[in-house]
Amino acid sequence: PGKSLDADWRGIWYVLIFDVPESERHYRDNLRRYLKKLHMGCLQKSVWVTPRDIRPQYDDLEQAANVHAVSYLFESRTVLNMDNQEIVENAWNFNRLQELHERYLSIYERNINLLNASVHDETAIMTLLYQEAEAYVQCMYNDPLLPNTLLPRNYLGEKVYSLHCKCRNSIASALIKSNK
């Protein structure tokens, strides 16, 4: 969350297809980890998609790891004859993301209630900060950060982001009060 991709998305999917032999499993696993860091979705083990233009990252990967020898990057308006929602449903695990969002919301609610209930010392406030940060990072690490037009109806990411900002401000205020 943050800046919406809607204004930038032109309906083009970037599809990365690769074929890395079993003898180079370490390279393949590292490539998959890198694609996850780019918030790409996995349609099949060797077919990954994103609505973001990843050509600059692909060029960097080419320079660093000679990826062109084992992969192709395509631009496409369609992928495997699926509509955009089918691509999203197949490439990303939104059920798991929903669980992480709901976990974050419960931690947020508990932490805000604790902050509002009484005065806390700095250690207690820092514990709340770490809990909130851990839950937020887990959500965002797994969030594909898709344009709004591609997000499922029940997507809670924007709410999580807004509450994360609110919680951080509340924790900062509590820290200032505890240091007075």
Side-chain angles (χ1 to χ4, degrees), residues 92-135:
W92 289 279
N93 186 347
F94 274 94
N95 289 333
R96 175 67 178 138
L97 187 57
Q98 180 82 12
E99 291 171 10
L100 292 170
H101 284 159
E102 289 171 359
R103 178 178 176 266
Y104 175 85
L105 294 174
S106 70
I107 288 170
Y108 166 83
E109 191 69 38
R110 185 182 73 227
N111 285 353
I112 287 297
N113 288 339
L114 285 171
L115 283 171
N116 293 335
S118 61
V119 177
H120 301 281
D121 65 10
E122 188 173 333
T123 303
I125 296 168
M126 292 306 293
T127 300
L128 295 177
L129 176 68
Y130 293 133
Q131 290 173 351
E132 189 276 341
E134 178 190 1

Coordinates of all heavy atoms in Angstrom, one line a residue, residues 92-135:
W92 N -1.4 -15.7 -6.7 CA -1.1 -15.3 -5.4 C -2.1 -15.9 -4.4 O -3.2 -16.2 -4.8 CB -1.2 -13.7 -5.2 CG -0.1 -13.0 -5.9 CD1 1.1 -12.8 -5.4 CD2 -0.2 -12.4 -7.2 NE1 1.9 -12.1 -6.4 CE2 1.1 -11.8 -7.5 CE3 -1.2 -12.3 -8.2 CZ2 1.4 -11.2 -8.7 CZ3 -0.9 -11.7 -9.4 CH2 0.4 -11.1 -9.6
N93 N -1.6 -16.2 -3.2 CA -2.4 -16.9 -2.2 C -3.1 -15.8 -1.3 O -2.6 -15.4 -0.3 CB -1.5 -17.8 -1.3 CG -2.3 -18.6 -0.4 OD1 -3.5 -18.3 -0.1 ND2 -1.6 -19.6 0.2
F94 N -4.2 -15.3 -1.8 CA -4.9 -14.3 -1.1 C -5.6 -14.8 0.2 O -5.9 -14.1 1.1 CB -5.9 -13.5 -2.0 CG -5.3 -12.4 -2.7 CD1 -4.7 -12.6 -4.0 CD2 -5.1 -11.2 -2.1 CE1 -4.1 -11.6 -4.7 CE2 -4.5 -10.1 -2.8 CZ -4.0 -10.3 -4.0
N95 N -5.9 -16.1 0.2 CA -6.4 -16.7 1.5 C -5.4 -16.5 2.6 O -5.7 -16.1 3.7 CB -6.8 -18.1 1.3 CG -8.0 -18.3 0.4 OD1 -8.9 -17.4 0.3 ND2 -8.1 -19.4 -0.2
R96 N -4.2 -16.8 2.3 CA -3.1 -16.7 3.3 C -2.9 -15.2 3.7 O -2.7 -14.9 4.8 CB -1.8 -17.3 2.8 CG -0.6 -17.1 3.7 CD -0.8 -17.9 5.1 NE 0.4 -17.7 5.9 CZ 0.4 -17.5 7.2 NH1 -0.8 -17.5 7.8 NH2 1.5 -17.3 7.9
L97 N -2.9 -14.4 2.7 CA -2.8 -13.0 2.9 C -3.9 -12.4 3.8 O -3.7 -11.6 4.7 CB -2.7 -12.2 1.6 CG -2.4 -10.7 1.7 CD1 -1.1 -10.5 2.4 CD2 -2.3 -10.1 0.3
Q98 N -5.1 -12.9 3.5 CA -6.3 -12.5 4.4 C -6.0 -12.9 5.8 O -6.3 -12.1 6.7 CB -7.5 -13.2 3.8 CG -8.8 -12.9 4.6 CD -9.4 -11.5 4.2 OE1 -9.1 -11.0 3.2 NE2 -10.4 -11.1 5.0
E99 N -5.5 -14.1 6.1 CA -5.2 -14.5 7.4 C -4.2 -13.6 8.1 O -4.3 -13.2 9.2 CB -4.6 -15.9 7.4 CG -5.6 -17.0 7.1 CD -4.9 -18.4 6.9 OE1 -3.7 -18.5 7.2 OE2 -5.6 -19.3 6.4
L100 N -3.1 -13.2 7.3 CA -2.1 -12.3 7.9 C -2.7 -10.9 8.1 O -2.4 -10.3 9.2 CB -0.9 -12.2 6.9 CG -0.1 -13.5 6.7 CD1 0.9 -13.4 5.6 CD2 0.6 -13.8 8.0
H101 N -3.5 -10.4 7.3 CA -4.2 -9.2 7.5 C -5.0 -9.2 8.7 O -5.0 -8.3 9.6 CB -5.1 -8.8 6.3 CG -4.3 -8.3 5.1 ND1 -4.8 -8.3 3.8 CD2 -3.0 -7.8 5.0 CE1 -3.9 -7.8 3.0 NE2 -2.9 -7.5 3.7
E102 N -5.8 -10.3 8.9 CA -6.7 -10.4 10.1 C -5.8 -10.5 11.4 O -6.2 -10.0 12.4 CB -7.6 -11.6 9.9 CG -8.7 -11.3 8.9 CD -9.5 -12.5 8.5 OE1 -9.3 -13.6 9.0 OE2 -10.4 -12.4 7.6
R103 N -4.7 -11.2 11.3 CA -3.8 -11.3 12.4 C -3.3 -9.9 12.8 O -3.3 -9.5 13.9 CB -2.7 -12.2 12.1 CG -1.7 -12.3 13.3 CD -0.5 -13.3 12.9 NE 0.5 -13.3 14.0 CZ 1.6 -12.5 14.0 NH1 1.8 -11.7 13.0 NH2 2.4 -12.6 15.0
Y104 N -2.9 -9.2 11.8 CA -2.4 -7.8 12.0 C -3.5 -7.0 12.7 O -3.2 -6.3 13.7 CB -2.0 -7.1 10.7 CG -1.6 -5.7 11.0 CD1 -0.3 -5.4 11.5 CD2 -2.5 -4.7 11.0 CE1 0.0 -4.1 11.8 CE2 -2.2 -3.4 11.3 CZ -0.9 -3.1 11.7 OH -0.6 -1.8 12.1
L105 N -4.7 -7.1 12.2 CA -5.8 -6.3 12.7 C -6.1 -6.6 14.2 O -6.4 -5.7 15.0 CB -7.1 -6.4 11.9 CG -7.0 -5.9 10.4 CD1 -8.2 -6.2 9.6 CD2 -6.7 -4.4 10.4
S106 N -6.0 -7.9 14.5 CA -6.2 -8.2 15.9 C -5.0 -7.7 16.8 O -5.3 -7.3 17.9 CB -6.3 -9.8 16.1 OG -5.1 -10.4 15.9
I107 N -3.8 -7.8 16.3 CA -2.7 -7.2 17.1 C -2.8 -5.7 17.2 O -2.6 -5.2 18.3 CB -1.3 -7.6 16.4 CG1 -1.1 -9.1 16.6 CG2 -0.2 -6.8 17.0 CD1 0.1 -9.7 15.8
Y108 N -3.2 -5.1 16.1 CA -3.4 -3.6 16.2 C -4.5 -3.3 17.2 O -4.2 -2.4 18.1 CB -3.9 -3.1 14.8 CG -4.4 -1.7 14.9 CD1 -3.6 -0.6 14.8 CD2 -5.8 -1.5 15.0 CE1 -4.1 0.7 14.9 CE2 -6.3 -0.2 15.1 CZ -5.4 0.9 15.1 OH -5.9 2.1 15.2
E109 N -5.6 -4.0 17.2 CA -6.7 -3.7 18.1 C -6.2 -3.8 19.6 O -6.4 -3.0 20.4 CB -7.9 -4.6 17.8 CG -9.1 -4.2 18.6 CD -9.7 -2.9 18.1 OE1 -9.7 -2.7 16.8 OE2 -10.2 -2.1 18.9
R110 N -5.5 -4.9 19.8 CA -5.0 -5.2 21.2 C -4.0 -4.1 21.6 O -4.1 -3.6 22.7 CB -4.4 -6.6 21.2 CG -3.9 -6.9 22.7 CD -3.2 -8.3 22.7 NE -1.9 -8.1 22.1 CZ -1.4 -9.0 21.2 NH1 -2.0 -10.0 20.8 NH2 -0.2 -8.8 20.8
N111 N -3.1 -3.7 20.7 CA -2.1 -2.7 21.1 C -2.7 -1.4 21.3 O -2.3 -0.7 22.2 CB -1.0 -2.7 20.0 CG -0.1 -3.9 20.0 OD1 -0.1 -4.7 21.0 ND2 0.8 -4.0 19.1
I112 N -3.6 -1.0 20.4 CA -4.3 0.3 20.6 C -5.0 0.4 22.0 O -4.9 1.4 22.7 CB -5.2 0.7 19.4 CG1 -4.3 1.0 18.2 CG2 -6.1 1.8 19.8 CD1 -3.5 2.2 18.3
N113 N -5.7 -0.7 22.3 CA -6.4 -0.8 23.6 C -5.5 -0.7 24.7 O -5.7 0.0 25.7 CB -7.3 -2.1 23.7 CG -8.5 -2.0 22.8 OD1 -8.9 -1.0 22.3 ND2 -9.0 -3.2 22.4
L114 N -4.3 -1.3 24.6 CA -3.3 -1.3 25.7 C -2.7 0.2 25.8 O -2.6 0.7 26.9 CB -2.2 -2.2 25.4 CG -2.5 -3.7 25.7 CD1 -1.3 -4.6 25.2 CD2 -2.7 -3.9 27.2
L115 N -2.5 0.8 24.7 CA -2.0 2.1 24.7 C -2.9 3.1 25.3 O -2.6 4.0 26.0 CB -1.6 2.6 23.3 CG -0.3 2.1 22.7 CD1 -0.1 2.4 21.3 CD2 0.9 2.6 23.5
N116 N -4.2 2.9 25.0 CA -5.3 3.8 25.5 C -5.7 3.6 27.0 O -6.2 4.4 27.6 CB -6.5 3.8 24.6 CG -6.2 4.3 23.2 OD1 -5.3 5.2 23.0 ND2 -7.0 3.9 22.3
A117 N -5.4 2.4 27.4 CA -5.9 2.0 28.8 C -5.1 2.6 29.9 O -5.7 2.9 30.9 CB -5.8 0.4 28.9
S118 N -3.8 2.8 29.7 CA -3.0 3.3 30.9 C -1.7 3.8 30.4 O -1.3 3.7 29.2 CB -2.8 2.2 31.9 OG -2.0 1.1 31.3
V119 N -0.9 4.4 31.3 CA 0.4 4.9 31.1 C 1.4 3.7 31.1 O 1.3 2.8 31.9 CB 0.8 5.9 32.1 CG1 2.2 6.4 31.9 CG2 -0.2 7.1 32.1
H120 N 2.3 3.7 30.1 CA 3.2 2.6 30.0 C 4.6 3.1 30.1 O 4.9 4.2 29.7 CB 3.0 1.9 28.6 CG 1.7 1.3 28.5 ND1 1.3 0.1 29.0 CD2 0.6 1.8 27.8 CE1 0.0 -0.1 28.7 NE2 -0.4 0.9 27.9
D121 N 5.5 2.2 30.5 CA 6.9 2.6 30.5 C 7.5 2.3 29.1 O 6.8 1.7 28.2 CB 7.7 1.8 31.5 CG 7.8 0.3 31.3 OD1 7.4 -0.2 30.2 OD2 8.2 -0.4 32.2
E122 N 8.7 2.8 28.8 CA 9.3 2.7 27.5 C 9.4 1.3 27.0 O 9.2 1.0 25.9 CB 10.6 3.4 27.5 CG 11.2 3.6 26.1 CD 12.5 4.4 26.1 OE1 12.6 5.3 27.0 OE2 13.3 4.2 25.2
T123 N 9.8 0.4 27.9 CA 10.0 -1.0 27.6 C 8.7 -1.6 27.0 O 8.6 -2.3 26.0 CB 10.5 -1.8 28.8 OG1 11.7 -1.3 29.2 CG2 10.7 -3.3 28.4
A124 N 7.6 -1.4 27.7 CA 6.3 -1.9 27.3 C 5.9 -1.3 26.0 O 5.3 -2.1 25.1 CB 5.2 -1.6 28.4
I125 N 6.1 -0.1 25.8 CA 5.8 0.6 24.5 C 6.6 0.0 23.4 O 6.1 -0.3 22.3 CB 5.9 2.1 24.6 CG1 4.9 2.7 25.6 CG2 5.7 2.8 23.2 CD1 5.2 4.1 26.0
M126 N 7.9 -0.2 23.6 CA 8.8 -0.8 22.6 C 8.3 -2.2 22.2 O 8.4 -2.7 21.1 CB 10.2 -0.8 23.0 CG 10.8 0.6 23.1 SD 10.6 1.6 21.6 CE 11.7 0.7 20.5
T127 N 7.9 -3.0 23.2 CA 7.3 -4.3 23.0 C 6.1 -4.3 22.0 O 6.1 -5.0 21.0 CB 6.9 -5.0 24.3 OG1 8.1 -5.1 25.1 CG2 6.4 -6.4 24.0
L128 N 5.2 -3.3 22.2 CA 4.1 -3.1 21.3 C 4.6 -2.7 19.9 O 4.1 -3.2 18.9 CB 3.2 -2.0 21.9 CG 2.5 -2.3 23.2 CD1 1.6 -1.0 23.6 CD2 1.6 -3.5 23.1
L129 N 5.6 -1.9 19.9 CA 6.2 -1.5 18.6 C 6.7 -2.7 17.8 O 6.4 -2.9 16.6 CB 7.3 -0.4 18.8 CG 8.0 0.0 17.5 CD1 7.1 0.8 16.6 CD2 9.2 0.8 18.0
Y130 N 7.5 -3.5 18.5 CA 8.0 -4.7 17.8 C 6.9 -5.7 17.4 O 7.0 -6.2 16.2 CB 9.0 -5.4 18.7 CG 10.3 -4.6 19.0 CD1 10.7 -4.5 20.3 CD2 11.0 -4.0 18.0 CE1 11.9 -3.7 20.6 CE2 12.1 -3.2 18.3 CZ 12.5 -3.1 19.6 OH 13.7 -2.4 19.8
Q131 N 5.9 -5.9 18.2 CA 4.8 -6.8 17.8 C 4.1 -6.2 16.6 O 3.8 -7.0 15.6 CB 3.8 -6.9 18.9 CG 4.3 -7.7 20.1 CD 3.4 -7.7 21.3 OE1 2.4 -7.0 21.3 NE2 3.6 -8.5 22.3
E132 N 3.8 -5.0 16.6 CA 3.1 -4.3 15.5 C 4.0 -4.4 14.2 O 3.5 -4.8 13.1 CB 2.8 -2.9 15.8 CG 1.9 -2.2 14.8 CD 2.6 -1.6 13.6 OE1 3.8 -1.4 13.6 OE2 1.9 -1.4 12.6
A133 N 5.2 -4.1 14.3 CA 6.1 -4.1 13.2 C 6.3 -5.5 12.6 O 6.2 -5.7 11.4 CB 7.5 -3.6 13.6
E134 N 6.4 -6.5 13.4 CA 6.5 -7.9 12.9 C 5.2 -8.3 12.2 O 5.3 -8.9 11.1 CB 6.7 -8.9 14.1 CG 6.8 -10.3 13.6 CD 6.8 -11.3 14.8 OE1 6.7 -10.9 15.9 OE2 6.9 -12.5 14.5
A135 N 4.1 -8.0 12.7 CA 2.8 -8.4 12.0 C 2.7 -7.7 10.7 O 2.3 -8.2 9.7 CB 1.6 -8.1 13.0

